[in-house]
Every structure is written in structure tokens, then in C-alpha cells.
């Protein structure tokens, strides 16, 4: 666990610059997926406290409305809007993004936080493996579709919440739907998190006027961790980071001026750019393989687009 646990955060936070987060973001618009609990909710609260307009994108209406009420009560900010969307339903992601663009005139920051770890392989109505649909294709479609709106808005940013688990995964594009071999939900999730890192790097190259970043929050005490890894959660509970600690770098990447002085497309831990590979790692992939991932996502995305469209890249 080391640097990823609570003590790692406390140690790293000694070098944080307080004034980085002393920012008023009134009038700026933030979309956060999975904003009803854990890191997403903690991020929404931090942004709402600083006056931001928050669009919460959540799967469960009751939980989302309850979280919205908590956020409004805690921050006094009423500009918190709930949108119900299950990111595993690929066509619905398109429909949501298209209607959002019609309804709203600006989006300054997109935070791809929602994620899914499945205990067994399951498919969505379109026949795609559900966690891939949520963690990778849903993130790709939502981001790509909202890029025109982001590009029209001042200081646009896209932040994706990945995981340290991706460090032990090399990009693999040959089994995106996890059809071959034994299904291990935790490893599948880690592979998706590697794919998010590659996706961020590639999108940053293609869309240079948006600041892209991807980060790992460390081991955080969230409902997602408790559900997906109950034994780990039970034994490590006292060492896990709080949702606020897990969200700190997301908030820093979303609102601080300091974050955008760094190059686009980088990976962060505790407000610091870090390598996407461990020392001497075997996890490096070729530019060809990375391009292949983007082409496969592009082709899949087009298959489910609610209206015929040209190339999205």
C-alpha cells in the first residue's frame, strides 16, 4: 500500500501549496460522473463550496437526489443539477451527451469518476461487457461528444480518475470484451484503468486546447471498494484514505491554476506528475498498439451513435 494509503497522503500533503485551492470558481461549470458517493461526492462538495455549477451524473435517482440535498445543505450552493445516466448503456451515453450540448452553452470541466468492478462477466443490452462499457467506452463517448462544448468554454479541462492497479497492467487490445480466459473483475478493472491512461494521452495529443489529466486517488474508503473487495476493505479500513483525501488531486486538477502549467495528458498522484510505469516495468506498449485502442473505441462508438456522424477524433 505504501504511498497509496492514508499515511502516504498525510506525508505528501506537507508539500501541498494551500493557496492552489483558494480559488473562486463561480460561473464555471463542472460535470462529475458517479457524484453521489465516495470521491465523486467529495469532489462535488469541494467545487460547490467554491461556487462552481455542478452537474452530477449518476445511475441511481434516489441516491443522487439524496446526495444533491447533502451537497446543497453543506455548501449553500443551489446550482447543483442531477442527471440520471447509466454509463454502461452505450447508446444512452450518446443521447445524454447530445442533449446536454443542446441544453447547456458551456462546460469548463469534465470529471470522469464513475467506475465499475464486476464480480462476474455480464453484458449490457448492446452485448458489450458491462465494466468495459462503463469504464472505457462510456468514458470515451462522453468525453468525445462533449469536446466541442469544452472547446467553446474558457480554460477547459478533462480529468479521469484511474487507479494505481493499472501500473501492473500492460495495454491489451485483443480481448476488450473479456471473452477469453477466466474473468477476474479486479484485473479487468486494472486493465480498463490502463486503457484510460492511454486514452488520456492520445486525446491530449488530438485536442491540444483542452487540458487532459488522469490520476490515481490511492486506496480510499468508498462504497465501491467495500463492495468490490470486502475482505481487503475490512482488514485495511484504518489505513484507507478518506473520500476527501482521495478527491484532493481531482479538485486540484479541476480548479487550480498550478495544474494547467503542467503538460496535458499526464498521470498524477497527490498533486504531482508521476510515471505511468513502474521502474524497469514490462508494461510499456507501442504507439501502434495505443493507436489500435483508439481506433477500436472509435469504431465501437460509431456503431452505437444515435445519429450518423463523421469521424469523432
Amino acid at each position: 500500500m505504501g504511498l497509496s494509503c492514508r499515511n502516504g497522503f498525510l506525508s505528501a500533503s506537507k508539500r501541498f501549496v494551500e493557496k492552489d485551492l483558494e480559488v473562486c470558481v463561480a460561473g464555471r461549470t463542472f460535470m462529475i460522473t458517479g457524484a453521489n458517493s465516495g470521491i465523486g461526492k467529495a469532489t462535488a462538495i469541494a467545487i460547490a463550496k467554491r461556487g462552481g455549477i455542478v452537474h452530477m451524473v449518476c445511475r441511481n435517482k434516489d441516491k443522487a437526489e439524496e446526495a444533491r440535498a447533502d451537497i446543497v445543505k453543506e455548501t449553500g450552493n443551489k446550482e447543483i443539477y442531477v442527471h440520471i445516466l447509466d454509463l454502461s448503456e452505450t447508446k444512452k451515453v450518446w443521447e445524454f451527451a447530445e442533449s446536454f450540448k443542446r441544453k447547456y452553452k458551456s462546460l469548463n470541466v469534465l470529471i470522469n469518476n464513475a467506475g465499475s468492478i464486476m464480480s462476474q462477466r455480464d453484458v449490457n443490452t448492446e452485448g458489450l461487457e458491462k465494466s468495459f462499457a462503463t469504464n472505457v467506452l462510456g468514458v470515451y463517448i462522453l468525453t468525445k461528444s462533449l469536446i466541442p462544448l469544452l472547446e467553446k468554454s474558457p480554460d477547459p479541462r478533462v480529468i479521469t480518475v484511474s487507479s494505481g492497479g493499472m501500473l501492473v497492467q500492460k495495454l491489451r487490445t485483443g480481448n476488450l470484451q473479456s471473452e477469453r480466459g477466466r474473468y477476474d473483475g479486479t484485473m479487468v478493472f486494472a486493465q480498463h484503468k490502463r486503457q484510460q491512461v492511454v486514452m488520456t494521452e492520445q486525446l491530449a495529443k488530438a485536442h491540444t486546447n483542452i487540458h487532459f489529466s488522469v490520476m490515481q486517488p490511492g486506496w480510499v474508503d468508498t462504497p465501491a471498494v467495500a463492495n468490490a473487495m470486502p475482505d481487503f476493505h475490512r482488514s485495511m479500513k484504518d489505513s484507507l484514505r478518506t473520500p476527501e483525501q482521495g478527491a484532493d488531486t481531482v479538485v486540484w486538477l479541476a480548479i487550480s491554476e498550478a495544474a494547467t502549467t503542467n503538460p496535458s495528458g499526464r498521470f498524477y498522484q497527490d498533486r504531482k506528475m508521476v510515471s505511468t510505469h513502474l521502474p524497469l516495468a514490462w508494461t510499456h506498449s507501442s504507439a501502434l498498439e495505443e493507436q489500435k485502442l483508439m481506433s477500436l473505441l472509435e469504431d465501437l462508438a460509431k456503431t452505437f451513435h444515435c445519429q450518423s456522424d463523421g469521424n469523432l477524433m
Side-chain angles (χ1 to χ4, degrees), residues 37-58:
S37 68
I39 293 166
K41 185 179 179 185
T43 301
I45 288 169
I47 288 167
K49 271 182 181 161
R50 292 165 176 82
I53 300 160
V54 178
H55 291 278
M56 303 169 62
V57 177
C58 308

Side-chain angles (χ1 to χ4, degrees), residues 23 40 56 59 80 82 131 135 159 169 171 227 252 298:
V23 183
M56 303 169 62
R59 196 173 47 182
I80 315 295
V82 166
S131 64
N135 301 331
I159 298 116
Q169 287 283 324
L171 174 68
N227 292 334
W252 182 80
E298 170 69 15

Side-chain angles (χ1 to χ4, degrees), residues 139-153:
V139 169
Y140 178 81
I141 290 173
L142 186 63
T143 305
K144 290 293 311 189
S145 183
L146 292 172
I147 277 173
L149 187 57
L150 285 155
E151 286 182 328
K152 283 194 307 198
S153 311

Side-chain angles (χ1 to χ4, degrees), residues 49-231:
K49 271 182 181 161
R50 292 165 176 82
I53 300 160
V54 178
H55 291 278
M56 303 169 62
V57 177
C58 308
R59 196 173 47 182
N60 182 303
K61 192 175 193 319
D62 293 344
K63 287 181 181 171
E65 292 294 356
E66 195 180 315
R68 180 193 179 273
D70 289 349
I71 295 165
V72 170
K73 190 177 170 190
E74 188 167 332
T75 66
N77 183 342
K78 291 193 174 69
E79 288 194 283
I80 315 295
Y81 304 96
V82 166
H83 306 269
I84 303 306
L85 171 69
D86 185 338
L87 278 162
S88 76
E89 296 180 26
T90 307
K91 202 159 194 274
K92 293 218 168 99
V93 180
W94 271 125
E95 289 164 0
F96 165 73
E98 296 298 331
S99 76
F100 188 90
K101 282 191 295 194
R102 283 193 295 272
K103 190 170 178 186
Y104 298 97
K105 293 291 162 274
S106 80
L107 176 64
N108 303 95
V109 183
L110 168 62
I111 298 169
N112 292 307
N113 164 70
S116 159
I117 304 181
M118 310 283 291
S119 52
Q120 55 195 51
R121 189 179 185 277
D122 194 7
V123 294
N124 66 7
T125 48
E126 288 103 351
L128 298 170
E129 192 270 321
K130 266 189 176 174
S131 64
F132 167 77
T134 302
N135 301 331
V136 185
L137 189 59
V139 169
Y140 178 81
I141 290 173
L142 186 63
T143 305
K144 290 293 311 189
S145 183
L146 292 172
I147 277 173
L149 187 57
L150 285 155
E151 286 182 328
K152 283 194 307 198
S153 311
D155 186 14
R157 310 181 189 193
V158 175
I159 298 116
T160 299
V161 178
S162 181
S163 151
M166 74 93 199
L167 290 165
V168 298
Q169 287 283 324
K170 179 178 180 168
L171 174 68
R172 288 193 300 275
T173 57
N175 191 24
L176 290 181
Q177 304 297 324
S178 304
E179 288 156 312
R180 294 197 299 281
R182 191 177 69 84
Y183 187 89
D184 177 336
T186 312
M187 284 298 115
V188 168
F189 180 76
Q191 172 62 210
H192 293 162
K193 296 290 150 179
R194 168 62 71 187
Q195 290 169 15
Q196 288 179 345
V197 168
V198 171
M199 198 195 305
T200 297
E201 291 167 346
Q202 296 299 317
L203 289 172
K205 285 179 198 166
H207 304 280
T208 51
N209 47 358
I210 297 174
H211 191 271
F212 286 87
S213 55
V214 57
M215 58 78 72
Q216 75 119 329
W219 287 108
V220 183
D221 188 356
T222 65
V225 171
N227 292 334
M229 298 180 269
D231 296 343

